Amino acid sequence: MAINFPIIKKTKQSNISAKNRGMNLETIINESNEYYLNNNKAIIHKKPTPVQIVHVDYPSRNKAVITEAYYKTPSTTDYNGIYKGRYIDFEAKENNNKTLFPLKNVHDHQIHHLKQITDHGGIGFLIIYWNAYNEFYLMEFSIFYKYYLDSINGGRQSILYQTFKNEAHLIKEGYLPRLNYLAVIDEKIL
């Protein structure tokens, strides 16, 4: 039995100009996720990065400054959550290159994590923002993994932009939500 909680809608105006979109991919995804949550579409959150704080300076009581910290363990992916009863897990990357996306931009532990997710029936993917073209692509993990395996067997160390155009899914940017990647999941994956 589902419990109906009242939906509290927040409205937040964004001041992100077209030239700053790439630097704000995380902001755009976070705004989209907030829209999904507030409209009861999905529950998807940014994962915190596990950090061990080593030293904090306290120049005054209300101005503590962390001066030394280390990553406890490598982080997995950027986002996870639930959509239509399915577990979702994805990594978001910005790409400044005009012709290719270097595979080294996605770390081995992230690839291993996404492989485990998809092996267990979850939906795993990457959202790649191409700064040069102001385009957002959702690449299913199975497609990305094919190129990753090829790279570790002596193949290309990158995925061409044209491959994204042919094999990934363009995500249209809009007003609400800013980046409607769930529409792509509905249309192409579910």
Side-chain angles (χ1 to χ4, degrees):
M1 180 169 109
I3 299 172
N4 291 322
F5 291 102
I7 304 283
I8 299 170
K9 296 189 179 193
K10 295 182 198 173
T11 56
K12 195 188 278 187
Q13 293 296 334
S14 176
N15 295 327
I16 300 172
S17 68
K19 71 175 185 163
N20 291 328
R21 284 186 187 142
M23 297 186 323
N24 293 296
L25 175 60
E26 184 177 301
T27 301
I28 292 169
I29 293 172
N30 291 344
E31 286 176 1
S32 300
N33 290 344
E34 184 177 333
Y35 172 84
Y36 293 144
L37 182 64
N38 289 339
N39 289 278
N40 203 27
K41 303 268 185 210
I43 302 169
I44 301 166
H45 295 289
K46 172 96 172 95
K47 293 184 203 174
T49 303
V51 175
Q52 174 70 46
I53 297 171
V54 177
H55 190 263
V56 180
D57 284 338
Y58 295 95
S60 67
R61 190 168 188 73
N62 63 349
K63 294 185 181 183
V65 177
I66 297 171
T67 57
E68 187 176 359
Y70 301 99
Y71 294 114
K72 282 185 183 180
T73 57
S75 175
T76 53
T77 52
D78 290 330
Y79 295 90
N80 69 348
I82 301 290
Y83 177 59
K84 291 187 175 178
R86 298 281 302 273
Y87 179 76
I88 288 181
D89 204 298
F90 66 95
E91 180 67 16
K93 296 289 186 189
E94 300 172 27
N95 185 27
N96 292 318
N97 196 302
K98 290 183 178 181
T99 59
L100 55 87
F101 175 76
L103 290 165
K104 68 180 181 181
N105 288 356
V106 183
H107 303 289
D108 287 342
H109 66 275
Q110 294 171 321
I111 295 166
H112 177 71
H113 176 74
L114 284 167
K115 178 83 169 86
Q116 288 178 317
I117 296 304
T118 57
D119 284 351
H120 287 275
I123 300 171
F125 57 93
L126 292 94
I127 291 179
I128 309 294
Y129 175 65
W130 290 78
N131 287 318
Y133 307 107
N134 191 32
E135 292 177 344
F136 301 86
Y137 283 91
L138 184 151
M139 179 173 272
E140 296 173 51
F141 178 72
S142 60
I143 295 169
F144 177 85
Y145 193 63
K146 173 180 69 170
Y147 289 98
Y148 170 75
L149 288 178
D150 187 50
S151 76
I152 61 175
N153 290 316
R156 288 188 63 89
Q157 301 299 303
S158 61
I159 302 174
L160 296 173
Y161 170 68
Q162 192 60 44
T163 301
F164 276 83
K165 290 183 74 68
N166 295 337
E167 297 185 44
H169 312 292
L170 182 66
I171 308 169
K172 294 177 182 159
E173 190 176 5
Y175 178 64
L176 290 174
R178 289 279 308 270
L179 197 61
N180 195 2
Y181 63 90
L182 291 183
V184 174
I185 290 172
D186 282 337
E187 185 180 328
K188 304 293 184 180
I189 298 173
L190 291 181

